[in-house]
Amino acid sequence: MRSRSTLGTVAVLTGALAAAGLAFAPTAGAVSPGSATATYDCGSWGGGAATLTATQSGTAATITISSSVTTPIAVGADTISSTLTMAKAGGGTRVFTGKKNPARAAGQSVVMGPLSGTVASGDSLNSYFAGVALKMVIFGVTVNCDAVTSQSPGPFVFS
């Protein structure tokens, strides 16, 4: 009988410790909205709407871009170097960079990311209008894209 009550006590204590650990664990952070659209002009490479999807874990954040710009030739995985500049409410910018992309056949739309950057709690980031918003280097060719619209439904707000 004594071993049953000891096992029961151990089980209750283990459950309580697990719950307490979760209660005091650091939060991962959240970004809202999780995705937004904006329009970019990439000159002779084309342009159009792009979907930006953001994630956050503490001060680390990523943005993945699904663009309507198409590649004229096949592109291998992780061969596009990308830099996305976002305007920070109140002034300044945040930059997201990376060399991550899925392989794409000629004529398919370009997908970049996740691009990595650092954010602070309360950062509100939107399309950047004071210069090149998105820069891609593909096979040594630089493609500069300017933001034409603000993000919809609104800027990314990081917590």
Side-chain angles (χ1 to χ4, degrees), residues 21-127:
L22 287 174
F24 293 107
T27 58
V31 58
S32 178
S35 67
T37 58
T39 303
Y40 293 89
D41 177 5
C42 301
S44 61
W45 283 74
T51 300
L52 291 78
T53 305
T55 63
Q56 177 185 5
S57 179
T59 60
T62 63
I63 297 179
T64 301
I65 305 165
S66 299
S67 161
S68 60
V69 173
T70 58
T71 178
I73 58 174
V75 176
D78 302 333
T79 57
I80 302 174
S81 293
S82 305
T83 303
L84 175 67
T85 302
M86 304 289 288
K88 185 177 158 210
T93 60
R94 294 281 189 217
V95 176
F96 295 81
T97 61
K99 192 171 184 177
K100 291 283 186 188
N101 63 277
R104 307 303 278 177
Q108 284 190 308
S109 60
V110 176
V111 176
M112 296 152 284
L115 308 179
S116 301
T118 303
V119 296
S121 181
D123 274 358
S124 178
L125 305 180
N126 204 339
S127 297

